[in-house]
Every structure is written in structure tokens, then in C-alpha cells.
Amino acid sequence: MIELIDRLAEEHSLSISEYQYLIEHRNQEAAEYAASRARSVSQSIYGKDIFVRGIIEFSNICRNDCYYCGIRKSNDKVRRYALTPEQILQCAEDGYSYGFRTIVLQSGEEGSPAYIDGLCQTVRSIKERHPDVAITLSVGELERDDYEKLYQAGADRYLLRHETADPDLYRKLHPKELSLEHRMNCLRELRSIGYDVGAGFMVGSPWQTARDLAEDLKFIETFKPEMCGIGPFIPHRDTPLRDFPAGGLDLTLFLLSLIRLAVPDILLPATTALGTIDPEGREKGVLAGANVIMPNLSPVDVRRQYELYNDKICMGDESAQCRTCVDMRMFSIGYRVVIDRGDIRRRTKRDGRGVGLANPGSASNTSRTAEEGAVDA
Ligand code: 5AD
Ligand code: FES
């Protein structure tokens, strides 16, 4: 175990089977060792600075029906909302005044022409007022044209979790209209347009095996996204997966450490889902190698309508409260939240980039080619 962790820390690569071995045989000693190496790697690049991103959940209208998600279109218990442009701008203004220099605009997936035009306008307005703010979008699978329009409007980064790198598991978690192949193509398109991209996956989702997670690690290692969001699966009462257990804290922390060792400069959030399954989940995430926190900037009266999973934290807390809360939490473990765009500090040129673009192979190739040592999915 220790030997594999050392090798990962030195070479930033393991085979899928080696990742699987680590996941299956992890114990407390290995987890502590991986966390301490991951912390030093993170500190060698980012010091004890924690980057914050203010998330505005501006609409819960969604055309997708992912089996795990609380705002899936079949959930008719959700009251659908879309903030007006003025409301979104007000949240962004508030965020700026609290020191956020990255604003994340997140919504369900919609993608209509009116939606795209409105979003472009909002991005432009935020950038006009605050050219020093980075804008991250998290709005799902769109047409390449739309990704380009949004980039031209000023968006800098895009979060699109791949959810799982295993095509079979992907099919079990999603209706047939959605495919891993299409999602991976979106990630490649986003990158080729110029966005900094964020991939990511759920930990402990129904039917997931150690092998599946090993494939996720291999994908992250080879694709080298600028960001990677991982958090435990948490059941939502009004979804088909309501009776499955939540993913585990320790496994999520261990995976955070391995991701930090595989891609040292990656921006790695300690996610809200992690904070939901453990009251100190986000602090533990940072101590396992994470360096980003994403507090909620949405108006309090819509937060309940954006419940992706049960018992999501911060439902009643004003944005200002969340901001202070996060400051204090980070201070309590010897870290500090900084006022900064929080761009990636890429230490080495991303060697996988060219191959990935030249070879948009199907997602089902991911594990096979990765195992063979190809640098991209
Ligand atoms: N549990 C944990 N994470 C979830 N997400 C959606 N539903 C759940 C759930 N039940 C995550 C997905 C999605 C992100 C916005 O939220 O990974 O990409
Ligand atoms: Fe929202 Fe702590 S981050 S209250």
C-alpha cells in the first residue's frame, strides 16, 4: 500500500488495477499516509490558501431525468423556479462584496435558445461590472455552438462531472437518452474551446465497484481536468434511488488524496455533499488534499428547491453567514480563505491535451486505452 502511494506521489500514475487494489485494501494507516502526502503536495503549490467560489443556483428547471438527482424532470414535487437576470446580478454583487472572485452559475439543464441568450447576457453583465471575477458555468450538456457563445460572452471555466467513467454504470444511473460518450465529448469540446474544465464523480453511487472508481481515477489522471468535484452519493427521497445507502466519508477522503497525488496542481473542492454526510466533512476534505470550497450564494428562499439530495446543508443560511462560516472553518484547521480568482497554478504543460482532441474515441474505450497507457480517454 505505502509503496503504491509513494509511486503515485512520484510518478503521478498507476494502473487501473493498482488503483483498484488501493481502494479495496485501504486501511487507516494508508489513508493517513495518503492524506499527509496529499496535503504536502497541495501546500507546495497553493500554500495554506483556500480558494472559494460562490455558487448561484439560478434555475432548477431541468430536461434530464438522472435517477439520482432531486431536481430530475420527473420529480413533480419540486417547485420550479428561474431567477431573473436582476436577481442573479444581485447575488453576484453580494458575492463580490463578500470577497468572492469566482462566481459559479449553476442550473438544471435546459439549453433552449432563450436560455442561452439570457445566460450570455448575464455573463456579460457580471464581467462588465467586475472584470476581475472568473465565471464558471455548470449548466450541463449543450451544443458546441452554445459553449462557444458562452465562452465569447466571457465565461472562463465549465464544470461538467462525468459522474462515472464506466459506461455500464453510467447506463444504470441515467435514462437511455444520456450517454457517457456524449458527456466525454462535451468535456473535450469545452477544453478545445478554451475553458478550464472540471470533471468529477459521485462516490458510493448504487452498484459502483472499486473497479469503477479505479476507472474514474485513471480518467482524472489522464484527462487532467483543471478541476475535479467529487462527493458522496446521497439518496433523495423523491428519486428512484431513494433506498440506496449514501457513499462513505472515509472512501471519499481517500479518493481526494489519490486525486491530489495523481494531478498535483488540480483544483479540488471539499464539496457540499461531503459537508452533508459529516458535520466536519469539508475540513476533513481539506486535510485530505482539497483546496477549494464552494459556498452557496443563492437567495435563501429558493435554496430548498435546489435540493439535489436529502438534508443538503446551508438551506437556511444567508450567503453572508455561509461566507463567515467557511472562513471560520478553514481558520480552525490552520488554513485561510483568500480573495482571489483561484486559477489553477499549472506547473507542467498538460501533455494529454493534444491526444485527447485528436482522438475523440468512444467512452467505452476509456478504461481499455487508459490501461494501455494512453494519455487520454
Ligand atoms: N447525491 C450526490 N450528488 C449528487 N448530484 C446530483 N444528485 C446527487 C445525489 N443524489 C451531483 C452530481 C451532479 C452535481 C451537480 O451534483 O454529480 O453533477
Ligand atoms: Fe453555509 Fe456553513 S457554509 S452555514
Side-chain angles (χ1 to χ4, degrees), residues 300-331:
V300 174
D301 57 334
V302 302
R303 288 194 193 186
R304 289 216 172 272
Q305 268 74 254
Y306 208 89
E307 206 180 358
L308 305 178
Y309 43 79
N310 285 347
D311 305 320
K312 190 173 161 206
I313 51 172
C314 302
M315 284 299 175
D317 299 289
E318 292 290 342
S319 304
Q321 259 173 287
C322 280
R323 183 62 179 77
T324 321
C325 167
V326 160
D327 255 354
M328 284 170 25
R329 285 172 180 273
M330 294 302 111
F331 182 75

Side-chain angles (χ1 to χ4, degrees), residues 1 14 20 37 45 64 77 90-91 118 141 149 170 186 263 292 302 304 326 332 366:
M1 296 287 277
L14 292 177
Q20 184 181 347
R37 291 216 63 163
I45 302 170
N64 284 341
K77 294 204 178 140
Q90 186 57 53
C91 291
E141 297 182 19
K149 279 187 204 155
Y170 196 93
C186 287
V263 188
V292 174
V302 302
R304 289 216 172 272
V326 160
S332 77
T366 307

Side-chain angles (χ1 to χ4, degrees), residues 159-170:
L159 307 180
L160 184 68
R161 290 188 178 183
H162 64 284
E163 310 297 357
T164 168
D166 184 83
D168 292 328
L169 181 58
Y170 196 93

Side-chain angles (χ1 to χ4, degrees), residues 46-54 95-96 98-102 267 291-293 295 323 326-327 330-331 335-343 345:
Y46 296 103
K48 288 194 152 193
D49 290 356
I50 296 296
F51 296 145
V52 280
R53 286 69 164 95
Y96 193 87
Y98 306 143
F100 290 110
R101 294 297 176 268
T102 291
L267 295 162
N291 70 322
V292 174
I293 306 268
R323 183 62 179 77
V326 160
D327 255 354
M330 294 302 111
F331 182 75
Y335 286 73
R336 65 185 162 260
V337 170
V338 291
I339 299 183
D340 193 302
R341 273 172 54 111
D343 285 304
R345 298 193 187 138

Side-chain angles (χ1 to χ4, degrees), residues 114-335:
Y115 168 96
I116 299 292
D117 287 349
L119 187 52
C120 283
Q121 192 48 51
T122 301
V123 170
R124 274 192 291 269
S125 307
I126 297 176
K127 280 285 186 174
E128 268 164 29
R129 291 180 205 195
H130 300 295
D132 55 333
V133 162
I135 296 188
T136 303
L137 300 178
S138 173
V139 301
E141 297 182 19
L142 305 176
E143 298 295 325
R144 187 186 169 102
D145 259 13
D146 295 330
Y147 285 150
E148 277 171 357
K149 279 187 204 155
L150 290 161
Y151 188 74
Q152 292 308 324
D156 304 275
R157 312 181 186 136
Y158 204 102
L159 307 180
L160 184 68
R161 290 188 178 183
H162 64 284
E163 310 297 357
T164 168
D166 184 83
D168 292 328
L169 181 58
Y170 196 93
R171 273 192 290 274
K172 289 185 187 151
L173 297 173
H174 300 92
K176 62 177 184 318
E177 296 75 38
L178 296 174
S179 74
L180 180 57
E181 186 178 355
H182 189 261
R183 190 153 275 231
M184 292 294 194
N185 275 332
C186 287
L187 282 171
R188 279 187 279 264
E189 276 177 358
L190 288 162
R191 174 169 274 179
S192 72
I193 290 167
Y195 285 97
D196 280 354
V197 293
F201 52 97
M202 285 183 293
V203 179
S205 49
W207 309 291
Q208 186 179 58
T209 63
R211 184 80 184 177
D212 296 327
L213 286 169
E215 288 174 35
D216 286 317
L217 293 176
K218 195 65 188 178
F219 170 66
I220 297 299
E221 176 206 302
T222 51
F223 187 73
K224 294 188 184 12
E226 282 72 22
M227 303 159 278
C228 180
I230 73 163
F233 160 77
I234 303 173
H236 185 286
R237 70 192 84 79
D238 301 317
T239 63
L241 304 181
R242 63 176 73 85
D243 294 326
F244 285 87
L249 173 74
D250 291 344
L251 178 56
T252 309
L253 296 174
F254 188 56
L255 293 167
L256 282 172
S257 301
L258 298 186
I259 292 170
R260 170 64 66 205
L261 297 178
V263 188
D265 49 18
I266 200 165
L267 295 162
L268 196 57
T271 53
T272 305
L274 195 57
T276 298
I277 58 162
D278 185 292
E280 280 166 10
R282 288 168 296 176
E283 290 88 325
K284 290 174 184 170
V286 168
L287 294 172
N291 70 322
V292 174
I293 306 268
M294 304 172 74
N296 203 321
L297 260 183
S298 309
V300 174
D301 57 334
V302 302
R303 288 194 193 186
R304 289 216 172 272
Q305 268 74 254
Y306 208 89
E307 206 180 358
L308 305 178
Y309 43 79
N310 285 347
D311 305 320
K312 190 173 161 206
I313 51 172
C314 302
M315 284 299 175
D317 299 289
E318 292 290 342
S319 304
Q321 259 173 287
C322 280
R323 183 62 179 77
T324 321
C325 167
V326 160
D327 255 354
M328 284 170 25
R329 285 172 180 273
M330 294 302 111
F331 182 75
S332 77
I333 52 168
Y335 286 73

Side-chain angles (χ1 to χ4, degrees), residues 1 16-27 209-214 251 254-255 258:
M1 296 287 277
I16 292 182
S17 300
E18 288 167 335
Y19 282 126
Q20 184 181 347
Y21 182 90
L22 279 176
I23 293 164
E24 281 172 344
H25 295 87
R26 84 201 138 81
N27 53 26
T209 63
R211 184 80 184 177
D212 296 327
L213 286 169
L251 178 56
F254 188 56
L255 293 167
L258 298 186

